Amino acid sequence: MKITINNQEYQAKSGQTVLEVARENEIKIPTLCYSEHLSITGACRLCIVEIENGQLVPACATPVSEGMKIETDSEEVYEARKTVIDLLLSDHPLTCMTCEANGDCKLQDLAYEYGLEESSYGIKEAPRFEIQQENPFIVFDPDKCIICGKCVRADQELQCSMAIDFSERGFKTKVAAAFDEGLGGDESSCVFCGLCVENCPTGALKYKPAIRKGRDYDLRKERTTCPYCGVGCQLELQIKDNEVVKVASIYDKDSPNPAGEACVKGRFAYDYINHPDRLRKPLIKKDGEFVEVSWEEALNYTAERLQEIKEKDGPQALAGLSSAKCTNEENYLMQKFMRAVIGTNSVDHCARLCHASTVAGLARAFGSGAMTNSIAETADSDLFFIIGSNPTENHPVIGSMMKRALAKGTKLIVADPREIELSSWADVNIHQQPGSDVALVNAMINVIINEGLHDKEFIKERTINFDLIASTIEDYTPETAEKISGVPAEEIRKAARLYAKADRAAIYFAMGITQHKTGTDNVLALANLAMVTGNVGKKGAGVNPLRGQNNVQGACDLGALPNVYPGYQKVEDPAMQEKFAEAWGIEPDTENGLTVVEIFNEAGKDIKGIYIMGENPVLSDPDQNHIKQALEDLEFLVVQDIFMTETAEYADVVLPAASFAEKSGTFTNTERRIQLVNPAVESPGEAKPDWQIISMLASKMGYAMDYAHPAEIMAEIASLTPIYGGVYHGRLREKTLQWPCPDRRHAGTKFLHEGEFARGKGKFHPVTYLPPAEKVDADYDYIMMTGRMLYHFHTGTMTRRSAAINAQEADAYVEINCKDAKRLGIKENDRVKVTSRRGEVETYARVGDRVQPGQMFMPFHYAESPANRLTNPVLDEKAKIPELKVTAVKLEKIS
């Protein structure tokens, strides 16, 4: 349709508002309450325009119509807007000189534009409200609030926390948390994502850690990718005097967080970057003490020691651990260093401890071990089946997207031994016994097949081995599964029917599925479930493992695994051996290397030395006492990290590395999206990017790695890695890409297996239930699970050094069911001792009903109460992942 704005004709689409058409054509209309990501309220009235007959209407809420004539800057419009601003200023403190928002306040900008120094209605004298700052993250000054409602809508519509709303009426109206206790109150559901602050047009809401650190015009700004979970949020680091002082939102429809979303860690846990504990110079242990040395001495010594072991005991006596926290380029160089310089395939990283069974299972079933669909497709699903995953705590931005979809009618099945936040949203809420997932999922398939709910055409055309799976699941009736899992048979039937009848059903899982001795079988069972209902290869469906760290997907993609080169090209394939031998100029190791657990099992025996980059196995790996002993038994250990970690304490050489904020490169997120990482500050002291350290060390050992920039490394990756064949830094500066992206012309792949699986036809794998390795007995009468929580990340190396984060969640704890606590005389915050067959840990009790009777949950982020001192190192035979989710323990109150 055609409309006229300011006597100029424009094309418009049906359903558009006046404001949308104006912005499309770069016609300025001021707003205070509007955001394209939020519902329209028309509250501020700043966007009023004049239409026929002199009528003044809000542009944000007025749809266009054929032939409409609009004036955006008539005298009537100007005076009306000026009056609105005048009224807002009448109840607003004019403290711009000291306000944190000075230079970044829309009300201030409009007052300047309309020539208002103060309100003609007079100036408000005394503050009417108290400033709320009882939490470590956000300060709220209600006197600066203009009641535009953007913060409320951001909370309720984007984050879906329902933490704030309008309180009182008339002149007393304000935004408030539950019972007016503030965002940090006991009844508050605020998760401190920061969206309220990002949407505030004035200085009413500000980030507490950034106060007095600099105002908008003082700050340099750099876009980068979040260093925490696998979502890969795009963030804006704001810098003053080489210090990151604030993290703001990026609004990019091509990013995983298009509405500027973030979690509390991404938003606030940045002060570790400039923490005084950062390593600044290379260290060599001399006479049992670390001594600062030059880079030349450290690299020479490291190269000599590695070369000595290689010549004396052979390349297989050395092993390397790469890192899911480092860039793609650095992971590529680390595995290249181990294979080309050392001559061994014994290189692994922490994916072995979290999603090795995902890769093993999905590769067998589909031909690719990655998340099949994209994050944005949460909006397209008819049903989510979330099993062994806690998205609102571990992947909060995805969790909030799920809640948005649920609010619009998407159905939900949750299967988790614990009660998680999304349990309260679920249509079917299942609490299976830890380690019983195969029985549960097989029983769902049993119901689907027996009731004729399976997709016969999909099975016939796109899969093989259906007869085998159909035969196997005959033994797994819901009643049989109930005896194993504890889930009532009717609940299993209800879940199966709900899943099968959805047109687009998406499975989401994480380490609650993978960290078992049957982890690969768990994943295969889920793949079977998806294929039997035809929920693979289409939008809004699929099997979606949620990766726990920022670049665990990329570290796997780039070959930081003992059995594959970059791009999952098998090291035992002669054609691949020849390919990489020619590219790297080497004689390659032709056998699979050792996994991380196997490396530590052989430490001091077949393995004499280890090179660790950005990993902290003393806290992350199972059976901590075993890991400590293994490190002590080594002849040589070099650790490359940003802090003196618990693992680095055992090292002979410690090399200071750059953080994510100090280097260039890329991360690949959980949905296979490759995104740039950009340097924002200089590294402390003499710390260097990991890719530079590896290159320098390789050169010292006689193998040239001459790269001027990580872009050159990515170009080499593209030349050798088909799934990254079209990925170059230059392209990524324009648009992110999702692999597979085989060439420069390819736009990337939003979801996998459309039309055909990566392996050709999807393969059903019959799997049968096997009990966990450990059971309760008279001595160890509880089952302990481990995992992450909202405020901390992995081993806590970064978040435990964030003042705001640590103030919020400073102490380790174990969750205990209230019935068990009553029986043992344990109250909230009592000190307790948890003992397994491998060790004991003291911590605080957190009493409630999140865990079932007879079960406990402990986060593994705390060095002072290390959950992995207790866990079981027994392995999944296929993926070599340890069973971290089922540990038999006893619980005692400390008097």
Side-chain angles (χ1 to χ4, degrees):
M1 70 177 71
K2 293 181 180 179
I3 65 171
T4 301
I5 303 179
N6 299 336
N7 299 316
Q8 179 72 41
E9 196 173 81
Y10 295 97
Q11 289 290 330
K13 302 182 189 71
S14 177
Q16 284 188 301
T17 64
V18 172
L19 181 62
E20 288 170 337
V21 178
R23 290 193 169 185
E24 272 186 7
N25 293 281
E26 299 182 349
I27 299 169
K28 182 181 177 182
I29 297 177
T31 65
L32 284 172
C33 72
Y34 175 79
S35 166
E36 64 179 292
H37 303 291
L38 303 174
S39 63
I40 294 170
T41 61
C44 73
R45 317 309 280 185
L46 254 296
C47 68
I48 50 177
V49 294
E50 184 177 350
I51 59 175
E52 291 90 343
N53 303 319
Q55 185 179 358
L56 298 179
V57 297
C60 70
T62 303
V64 295
S65 59
E66 181 66 48
M68 178 181 275
K69 294 182 179 180
I70 303 152
E71 291 289 335
T72 67
D73 55 2
S74 66
E75 184 176 345
E76 290 80 1
V77 167
Y78 180 88
E79 290 301 325
R81 289 177 185 163
K82 186 172 183 178
T83 298
V84 170
I85 299 166
D86 196 355
L87 285 166
L88 288 172
L89 292 178
S90 71
D91 187 35
H92 194 86
L94 302 181
T95 55
C96 297
M97 293 292 286
T98 56
C99 182
E100 286 293 319
N102 188 3
D104 187 31
C105 173
K106 289 186 177 180
L107 182 60
Q108 182 188 50
D109 294 341
L110 288 167
Y112 173 82
E113 182 179 343
Y114 284 80
L116 288 165
E117 293 185 9
E118 59 183 38
S119 174
S120 63
Y121 298 95
I123 301 174
K124 178 173 67 66
E125 295 297 333
R128 294 191 294 121
F129 303 104
E130 291 184 6
I131 295 175
Q132 297 177 0
Q133 50 184 337
E134 77 296 331
N135 69 82
F137 303 110
I138 294 171
V139 174
F140 177 44
D141 185 347
D143 281 299
K144 294 179 180 177
C145 176
I146 60 172
I147 315 295
C148 70
K150 284 181 74 177
C151 62
V152 173
R153 282 175 286 143
D155 168 65
Q156 297 182 358
E157 298 171 10
L158 294 179
Q159 183 58 39
C160 300
S161 287
M162 310 304 167
I164 54 175
D165 208 334
F166 291 112
S167 173
E168 303 292 348
R169 293 291 182 270
F171 198 55
K172 295 181 180 180
T173 300
K174 65 176 182 177
V175 174
F179 304 105
D180 204 15
E181 291 182 352
L183 295 176
D186 291 340
E187 301 299 323
S188 174
S189 58
C190 179
V191 292
F192 301 105
C193 69
L195 276 176
C196 60
V197 181
E198 293 297 310
N199 279 277
C200 181
T202 69
L205 286 159
K206 303 309 292 180
Y207 294 128
K208 192 172 185 178
I211 289 176
R212 300 286 180 266
K213 296 286 184 70
R215 292 184 287 201
D216 189 68
Y217 45 77
D218 298 317
L219 306 177
R220 181 169 54 84
K221 298 164 185 178
E222 186 67 56
R223 174 174 176 162
T224 194
T225 304
C226 181
Y228 287 107
C229 81
V231 176
C233 292
Q234 294 299 285
L235 303 173
E236 182 181 83
L237 304 186
Q238 300 191 351
I239 306 107
K240 184 181 180 184
D241 298 332
N242 201 48
E243 179 183 356
V244 177
V245 298
K246 189 191 304 181
V247 174
S249 287
I250 292 284
Y251 298 93
D252 182 353
K253 63 181 181 181
D254 187 40
S255 75
N257 57 325
E261 304 99 315
C263 76
V264 64
K265 295 183 290 293
R267 190 73 75 187
F268 293 101
Y270 55 81
D271 40 336
Y272 78 89
I273 298 167
N274 296 95
H275 197 280
D277 287 350
R278 282 288 303 275
L279 292 170
R280 284 165 165 75
K281 293 198 69 173
L283 303 169
I284 293 179
K285 191 174 284 181
K286 299 180 179 181
D287 299 323
E289 298 291 333
F290 283 114
V291 178
E292 290 185 352
V293 297
S294 68
W295 272 105
E296 185 72 10
E297 181 179 349
L299 291 171
N300 283 337
Y301 179 68
T302 301
E304 289 168 7
R305 296 288 286 117
L306 292 175
Q307 193 66 40
E308 284 174 10
I309 293 171
K310 179 180 175 181
E311 292 175 358
K312 177 169 64 79
D313 299 296
Q316 309 310 323
L318 292 166
L321 295 185
S322 202
S323 176
K325 293 179 283 295
C326 294
T327 65
N328 285 320
E329 294 79 1
E330 289 163 342
N331 277 283
Y332 173 81
L333 285 197
M334 184 61 169
Q335 63 83 36
K336 182 179 179 181
F337 177 87
M338 295 308 300
R339 290 181 164 119
V341 181
I342 301 299
T344 178
N345 286 320
S346 291
V347 58
D348 207 358
H349 72 290
C350 66
R352 184 67 49 195
L353 307 173
C354 55
H355 275 285
S357 42
T358 292
V359 176
L362 293 185
R364 283 169 167 79
F366 301 159
S368 169
M371 182 172 171
T372 60
N373 291 63
S374 296
I375 292 171
E377 291 173 44
T378 51
D380 303 303
S381 299
D382 299 313
L383 178 140
F384 303 135
F385 179 22
I386 300 172
I387 180 167
S389 176
N390 186 3
T392 57
E393 288 200 58
N394 298 334
H395 303 86
V397 169
I398 292 177
S400 64
M401 289 180 178
M402 287 176 169
K403 289 195 284 187
R404 285 177 232 167
L406 295 171
K408 294 177 181 178
T410 299
K411 301 296 184 183
L412 174 63
I413 303 165
V414 172
D416 198 296
R418 296 169 73 215
E419 185 81 1
I420 63 173
E421 182 187 352
L422 287 175
S423 298
S424 64
W425 293 68
D427 297 274
V428 181
N429 182 28
I430 290 170
H431 295 305
Q432 74 274 37
Q433 289 293 314
S436 66
D437 304 286
V438 164
L440 171 65
V441 177
N442 275 358
M444 290 177 65
I445 298 172
N446 175 290
V447 173
I448 289 166
I449 294 176
N450 287 335
E451 296 188 4
L453 300 174
H454 52 304
D455 190 331
K456 300 176 184 66
E457 183 179 351
F458 183 91
I459 292 166
K460 179 181 177 181
E461 298 296 326
R462 296 201 52 193
T463 70
I464 59 174
N465 273 9
F466 174 70
D467 289 345
L468 291 177
I469 184 73
S471 174
T472 300
I473 61 91
E474 288 178 3
D475 296 331
Y476 289 90
T477 65
E479 285 73 21
T480 299
E482 179 177 355
K483 294 175 183 176
I484 297 170
S485 67
V487 180
E490 282 309 307
E491 287 297 292
I492 295 174
R493 289 190 174 91
K494 185 178 178 182
R497 292 164 185 157
L498 196 63
Y499 178 83
K501 291 177 181 178
D503 183 47
R504 299 178 184 273
I507 296 171
Y508 289 87
F509 70 90
M511 292 182 288
I513 282 291
T514 60
Q515 288 180 332
H516 294 271
K517 84 169 190 184
T518 57
T520 302
D521 287 350
N522 291 345
V523 174
L524 287 170
L526 292 174
N528 290 340
L529 177 64
M531 287 190 290
V532 85
T533 54
N535 274 302
V536 189
K538 61 183 180 182
K539 191 174 184 180
V543 181
N544 301 289
L546 297 179
R547 299 294 190 137
Q549 295 194 48
N550 56 305
N551 201 34
V552 70
Q553 182 65 58
C556 292
D557 296 344
L558 275 306
L561 298 168
N563 62 327
V564 291
Y565 294 117
Y568 306 99
Q569 300 170 92
K570 296 184 183 301
V571 300
E572 292 188 332
D573 182 342
M576 294 303 104
Q577 294 167 10
E578 182 178 350
K579 172 181 176 177
F580 284 91
E582 181 179 351
W584 293 343
I586 61 167
E587 287 294 328
D589 180 8
T590 59
E591 296 182 0
N592 290 340
L594 300 179
T595 66
V596 59
V597 177
E598 293 170 327
I599 288 168
F600 284 111
N601 286 342
E602 293 299 321
K605 293 177 277 190
D606 288 344
I607 295 295
K608 309 297 184 183
I610 304 178
Y611 178 12
I612 299 177
M613 175 180 75
E615 292 283 308
N616 190 6
V618 168
L619 289 187
S620 64
D621 289 36
D623 193 0
Q624 185 189 71
N625 291 330
H626 165 66
I627 298 297
K628 289 181 175 181
Q629 187 61 55
L631 292 173
E632 289 179 352
D633 290 343
L634 290 170
E635 291 183 14
F636 183 65
L637 173 65
V638 55
V639 173
Q640 190 168 299
D641 216 313
I642 63 175
F643 291 107
M644 179 60 72
T645 65
E646 289 76 13
T647 300
E649 295 283 357
Y650 290 84
D652 298 284
V653 178
V654 178
L655 303 176
S659 76
F660 87 107
E662 298 148 12
K663 58 188 174 185
S664 298
T666 57
F667 294 152
T668 303
N669 77 344
T670 192
E671 61 176 345
R672 300 166 283 103
R673 186 181 300 274
I674 305 146
Q675 302 180 115
L676 287 172
V677 177
N678 297 307
V681 293
E682 295 178 2
S683 297
E686 299 178 17
K688 296 179 183 296
D690 293 278
W691 66 271
Q692 286 187 8
I693 300 172
I694 296 168
S695 298
M696 293 163 63
L697 183 58
S699 297
K700 291 289 186 183
M701 296 186 70
Y703 187 94
M705 285 190 184
D706 299 320
Y707 305 102
H709 189 273
E712 297 178 5
I713 305 172
M714 181 55 76
E716 183 176 319
I717 291 168
S719 72
L720 293 170
T721 312
I723 59 174
Y724 278 63
V727 179
Y728 294 85
H729 279 212
R731 291 192 73 191
L732 295 175
R733 278 189 279 273
E734 301 298 321
K735 188 179 187 296
T736 63
L737 296 166
Q738 289 174 272
W739 69 258
C741 180
D743 57 58
R744 285 184 180 271
R745 296 179 299 279
H746 199 280
T749 306
K750 290 189 179 298
F751 61 89
L752 302 177
H753 315 304
E754 184 177 16
E756 184 180 36
F757 284 93
R759 68 177 308 279
K761 288 195 173 186
K763 186 176 181 180
F764 285 101
H765 289 75
V767 290
T768 57
Y769 166 73
L770 294 172
E774 288 196 336
K775 299 179 181 179
V776 295
D777 59 22
D779 295 321
Y780 302 97
D781 50 349
Y782 290 89
I783 289 295
M784 185 190 78
M785 302 166 285
T786 66
R788 294 188 172 101
M789 43 91 81
L790 175 64
Y791 291 97
H792 285 296
F793 175 73
H794 201 49
T795 59
T797 302
M798 299 187 295
T799 53
R800 295 297 305 284
R801 290 177 171 88
S802 170
I805 295 285
N806 221 38
Q808 180 72 13
E809 198 71 78
D811 296 317
Y813 60 87
V814 60
E815 291 179 359
I816 305 167
N817 184 272
C818 49
K819 293 180 181 178
D820 294 327
K822 183 178 181 180
R823 181 171 60 84
L824 295 171
I826 295 171
K827 297 182 176 62
E828 182 78 3
N829 290 324
D830 278 353
R831 291 290 288 178
V832 295
K833 182 168 69 172
V834 184
T835 307
S836 78
R837 295 178 174 93
R838 288 156 294 278
E840 62 182 45
V841 166
E842 293 185 4
T843 188
Y844 290 96
R846 189 164 289 186
V847 178
D849 56 7
R850 290 196 69 183
V851 294
Q852 305 304 304
Q855 299 172 16
M856 298 187 300
F857 172 84
M858 185 182 293
F860 62 86
H861 314 292
Y862 295 87
E864 64 272 26
S865 298
N868 281 323
R869 183 178 294 164
L870 310 175
T871 48
N872 192 350
V874 66
L875 299 180
D876 175 322
E877 291 183 2
K878 300 181 185 76
K880 306 295 178 68
I881 189 171
E883 187 158 67
L884 298 169
K885 284 293 184 280
V886 184
T887 302
V889 298
K890 65 179 176 181
L891 175 66
E892 303 168 86
K893 180 179 179 180
I894 299 174
S895 300

